[in-house]
PDB file of all heavy atoms in Angstrom:
ATOM      1  N   ALA N  17      -5.020 -18.515   9.578  1.00 96.00           N
ATOM      2  CA  ALA N  17      -5.970 -17.559   9.098  1.00 96.00           C
ATOM      3  C   ALA N  17      -5.156 -16.194   8.886  1.00 96.00           C
ATOM      4  O   ALA N  17      -5.422 -15.467   7.996  1.00 96.00           O
ATOM      5  CB  ALA N  17      -7.252 -17.399   9.886  1.00 96.00           C
ATOM      6  N   GLY N  18      -4.439 -15.822   9.935  1.00 92.00           N
ATOM      7  CA  GLY N  18      -3.657 -14.626   9.922  1.00 92.00           C
ATOM      8  C   GLY N  18      -2.611 -14.659   8.703  1.00 92.00           C
ATOM      9  O   GLY N  18      -2.478 -13.607   8.030  1.00 92.00           O
ATOM     10  N   LYS N  19      -1.971 -15.786   8.501  1.00 92.00           N
ATOM     11  CA  LYS N  19      -1.045 -15.849   7.447  1.00 92.00           C
ATOM     12  C   LYS N  19      -1.652 -15.734   6.064  1.00 92.00           C
ATOM     13  O   LYS N  19      -1.251 -15.032   5.151  1.00 92.00           O
ATOM     14  CB  LYS N  19      -0.183 -17.148   7.497  1.00 92.00           C
ATOM     15  CG  LYS N  19       0.729 -17.241   8.614  1.00 92.00           C
ATOM     16  CD  LYS N  19       1.419 -18.589   8.729  1.00 92.00           C
ATOM     17  CE  LYS N  19       2.333 -18.647   9.884  1.00 92.00           C
ATOM     18  NZ  LYS N  19       2.958 -20.047   9.997  1.00 92.00           N
ATOM     19  N   ARG N  20      -2.855 -16.349   5.946  1.00 95.00           N
ATOM     20  CA  ARG N  20      -3.675 -16.334   4.696  1.00 95.00           C
ATOM     21  C   ARG N  20      -4.125 -14.892   4.387  1.00 95.00           C
ATOM     22  O   ARG N  20      -4.084 -14.444   3.308  1.00 95.00           O
ATOM     23  CB  ARG N  20      -4.864 -17.232   4.704  1.00 95.00           C
ATOM     24  CG  ARG N  20      -4.382 -18.657   4.562  1.00 95.00           C
ATOM     25  CD  ARG N  20      -5.554 -19.555   4.628  1.00 95.00           C
ATOM     26  NE  ARG N  20      -5.232 -20.999   4.453  1.00 95.00           N
ATOM     27  CZ  ARG N  20      -5.998 -22.071   4.618  1.00 95.00           C
ATOM     28  NH1 ARG N  20      -7.292 -21.743   5.057  1.00 95.00           N
ATOM     29  NH2 ARG N  20      -5.590 -23.344   4.494  1.00 95.00           N
ATOM     30  N   MET N  21      -4.561 -14.209   5.499  1.00 95.00           N
ATOM     31  CA  MET N  21      -5.004 -12.828   5.324  1.00 95.00           C
ATOM     32  C   MET N  21      -3.814 -11.869   4.850  1.00 95.00           C
ATOM     33  O   MET N  21      -4.071 -11.131   3.954  1.00 95.00           O
ATOM     34  CB  MET N  21      -5.676 -12.303   6.632  1.00 95.00           C
ATOM     35  CG  MET N  21      -6.085 -10.858   6.516  1.00 95.00           C
ATOM     36  SD  MET N  21      -5.950  -9.857   7.994  1.00 95.00           S
ATOM     37  CE  MET N  21      -4.328 -10.120   8.497  1.00 95.00           C
ATOM     38  N   LEU N  22      -2.738 -12.065   5.445  1.00 94.00           N
ATOM     39  CA  LEU N  22      -1.555 -11.299   5.112  1.00 94.00           C
ATOM     40  C   LEU N  22      -1.202 -11.493   3.651  1.00 94.00           C
ATOM     41  O   LEU N  22      -0.872 -10.468   2.950  1.00 94.00           O
ATOM     42  CB  LEU N  22      -0.455 -11.631   6.056  1.00 94.00           C
ATOM     43  CG  LEU N  22       0.793 -10.744   5.867  1.00 94.00           C
ATOM     44  CD1 LEU N  22       0.462  -9.274   6.184  1.00 94.00           C
ATOM     45  CD2 LEU N  22       1.803 -11.210   7.023  1.00 94.00           C
ATOM     46  N   LYS N  23      -1.178 -12.699   3.203  1.00 95.00           N
ATOM     47  CA  LYS N  23      -0.837 -13.016   1.887  1.00 95.00           C
ATOM     48  C   LYS N  23      -1.777 -12.359   0.778  1.00 95.00           C
ATOM     49  O   LYS N  23      -1.532 -11.890  -0.179  1.00 95.00           O
ATOM     50  CB  LYS N  23      -0.765 -14.587   1.591  1.00 95.00           C
ATOM     51  CG  LYS N  23       0.495 -15.177   2.172  1.00 95.00           C
ATOM     52  CD  LYS N  23       0.571 -16.683   1.946  1.00 95.00           C
ATOM     53  CE  LYS N  23       1.705 -17.276   2.563  1.00 95.00           C
ATOM     54  NZ  LYS N  23       1.721 -18.767   2.490  1.00 95.00           N
ATOM     55  N   ASP N  24      -3.101 -12.542   1.226  1.00 96.00           N
ATOM     56  CA  ASP N  24      -4.233 -11.989   0.349  1.00 96.00           C
ATOM     57  C   ASP N  24      -4.129 -10.475   0.221  1.00 96.00           C
ATOM     58  O   ASP N  24      -4.264  -9.897  -0.863  1.00 96.00           O
ATOM     59  CB  ASP N  24      -5.587 -12.393   0.914  1.00 96.00           C
ATOM     60  CG  ASP N  24      -5.940 -13.832   0.678  1.00 96.00           C
ATOM     61  OD1 ASP N  24      -5.266 -14.499  -0.102  1.00 96.00           O
ATOM     62  OD2 ASP N  24      -6.896 -14.409   1.332  1.00 96.00           O
ATOM     63  N   LYS N  25      -3.805  -9.849   1.285  1.00 96.00           N
ATOM     64  CA  LYS N  25      -3.670  -8.324   1.360  1.00 96.00           C
ATOM     65  C   LYS N  25      -2.481  -7.965   0.550  1.00 96.00           C
ATOM     66  O   LYS N  25      -2.453  -6.915  -0.166  1.00 96.00           O
ATOM     67  CB  LYS N  25      -3.643  -7.855   2.743  1.00 96.00           C
ATOM     68  CG  LYS N  25      -4.979  -7.839   3.434  1.00 96.00           C
ATOM     69  CD  LYS N  25      -4.903  -7.147   4.751  1.00 96.00           C
ATOM     70  CE  LYS N  25      -6.267  -6.841   5.280  1.00 96.00           C
ATOM     71  NZ  LYS N  25      -6.951  -5.767   4.716  1.00 96.00           N
TER      72      LYS N  25
END
Side-chain angles (χ1 to χ4, degrees):
K19 289 177 184 179
R20 287 180 179 171
M21 179 211 50
L22 186 57
K23 287 180 183 179
D24 289 345
K25 284 187 169 285

